Amino acid sequence: MKKGGPLLYRGKAKSVYLTDNPEEVSVEFRDDITAFDGEKSAVLEDKGVYNAAVSSFFFEYLEIHGVKTHYIHMLDRRTMLVRRLSMIPLEIIVRNIAAGSIVKKYPFTEGQVLKPTVMVIDYKDDARHDPMINDDIIFALGLVTREELLTMRKMALKVNDLLRTYLAGLSISLVDFKMEFGRYRSEILVGDELSMDSMRLWDGKTRDSLDKDVYRFDKGDVRTTYAAVAERITPGALHRFEAEKTVFSGGGQE
Ligand code: 5GP
């Protein structure tokens, strides 16, 4: 599989390339990091590698547990081959513990366990600052059907259960995370990424941030944090990447 076809789309931290197969694209996790709608930005060596490692690990983990995702396999240590989805412009955010925007908008205390688990949906549109959306607006905009929305909600809760339990075993709290979905043939699949850029992770003991909040709020060395959490979540994977560098093809890590 050739990695670099024509560029299809360049996002803030990932680039998507066409491949020889019209039903597949490759996603490169770049070293760019941005926050606050791109107001703050930097380039951090190998940051893309750490996010790619965690994302691919989680996608494989979800697939093993019956959640369908766009993931096919890694092409190199920062590039994954995925099914080409028609993306739905919604950000499904699942929150287990109050932090970030929900603490600013509502009278929750940071660190408060949320009962029930809270699901929030944002309309993905940078120019509008990703406003929170509700079911009626979603249907009036014709973004998804009722059945599709229900499917996305169920999948998001299953992903939350799976990731929260896995991370708890590593003494990491899954505070919240954002997911995106897309259509592939007649199915809804999990798309985009599941990484330190799209989740809040706290160390179970110290409550230290292990995610993009370290960058957003200058809480420490972002590279060191990302490298350590990637190693914690994907034991051995980074070493395997180093050893094999660019030879990932043909159906998964060998
Ligand atoms: P908050 O609403 O508190 O800013 O974000 C909630 C969770 O969703 C956090 O884990 C945050 O990283 C993630 N999230 C929310 N919006 C975005 C977004 O536009 N891009 C990314 N990568 N993550 C987001």
Side-chain angles (χ1 to χ4, degrees):
M1 167 56 61
K2 195 163 60 154
K3 171 187 156 187
L7 180 70
L8 179 65
Y9 171 78
R10 186 180 162 90
K12 290 199 284 286
K14 300 191 294 298
S15 298
V16 180
Y17 296 89
L18 294 170
T19 68
D20 301 340
N21 183 338
E23 292 208 305
E24 296 174 358
V25 289
S26 67
V27 178
E28 179 197 13
F29 287 69
R30 303 196 315 273
D31 288 341
D32 301 280
I33 187 163
T34 69
F36 310 120
D37 280 337
E39 253 174 54
K40 186 174 177 180
S41 68
V43 178
L44 301 172
E45 194 186 348
D46 281 347
K47 173 254 178 188
V49 174
Y50 303 133
N51 272 356
V54 168
S55 263
S56 70
F57 180 88
F58 281 149
F59 283 137
E60 286 182 14
Y61 189 81
L62 294 181
E63 291 277 355
I64 287 167
H65 291 87
V67 180
K68 293 190 175 172
T69 79
H70 67 159
Y71 181 78
I72 302 174
H73 59 76
M74 295 304 286
L75 293 170
D76 65 37
R77 59 195 202 122
R78 64 170 70 242
T79 312
M80 56 175 65
L81 185 68
V82 302
R83 295 178 184 88
R84 184 175 182 179
L85 307 185
S86 165
M87 292 305 291
I88 296 164
L90 294 174
E91 298 185 342
I92 314 296
I93 296 163
V94 183
R95 299 176 177 274
N96 297 303
I97 297 172
S101 67
I102 200 170
V103 173
K104 281 199 195 129
K105 289 180 186 159
Y106 305 98
F108 290 114
T109 311
E110 185 171 84
Q112 183 179 338
V113 174
L114 296 169
K115 284 207 166 123
T117 298
V118 172
M119 192 181 297
V120 170
I121 306 186
D122 288 352
Y123 178 59
K124 187 177 161 76
D125 186 335
D126 271 351
R128 294 186 164 84
H129 308 290
D130 299 346
M132 193 187 289
I133 196 166
N134 69 14
D135 293 19
D136 286 343
I137 302 175
I138 290 172
F139 301 137
L141 284 171
L143 299 179
V144 290
T145 64
R146 283 175 196 276
E147 196 191 347
E148 285 174 329
L149 187 58
L150 190 61
T151 301
M152 286 159 59
R153 285 194 205 276
K154 280 190 187 155
M155 287 171 83
L157 288 180
K158 181 160 183 187
V159 170
N160 185 48
D161 281 345
L162 288 167
L163 298 192
R164 190 169 50 160
T165 305
Y166 176 76
L167 290 164
L170 305 174
S171 194
I172 296 173
S173 300
L174 178 58
V175 174
D176 57 38
F177 66 99
K178 184 258 315 181
M179 298 177 73
E180 294 182 28
F181 294 86
R183 296 187 185 87
Y184 181 77
R185 301 180 184 169
S186 58
E187 280 190 304
I188 300 268
L189 306 186
V190 180
D192 195 48
E193 68 183 297
L194 288 165
S195 75
M196 291 75 83
D197 277 12
S198 60
M199 312 184 150
R200 274 198 183 91
L201 303 171
W202 290 354
D203 184 275
K205 289 198 189 81
T206 63
R207 296 222 155 185
D208 286 345
S209 289
L210 306 173
D211 57 68
K212 196 153 92 171
D213 274 356
V214 176
Y215 176 69
R216 290 190 187 100
F217 305 112
D218 301 315
K219 290 180 170 199
D221 187 79
V222 186
R223 264 199 77 200
T224 310
T225 303
Y226 272 44
V229 74
E231 182 54 40
R232 215 159 141 187
I233 292 173
T234 70
L238 292 168
H239 292 110
R240 205 165 66 226
F241 274 131
E242 276 310 312
E244 301 183 16
K245 278 280 194 237
T246 57
V247 210
F248 281 77
S249 65
Q253 292 104 322
E254 284 135 23

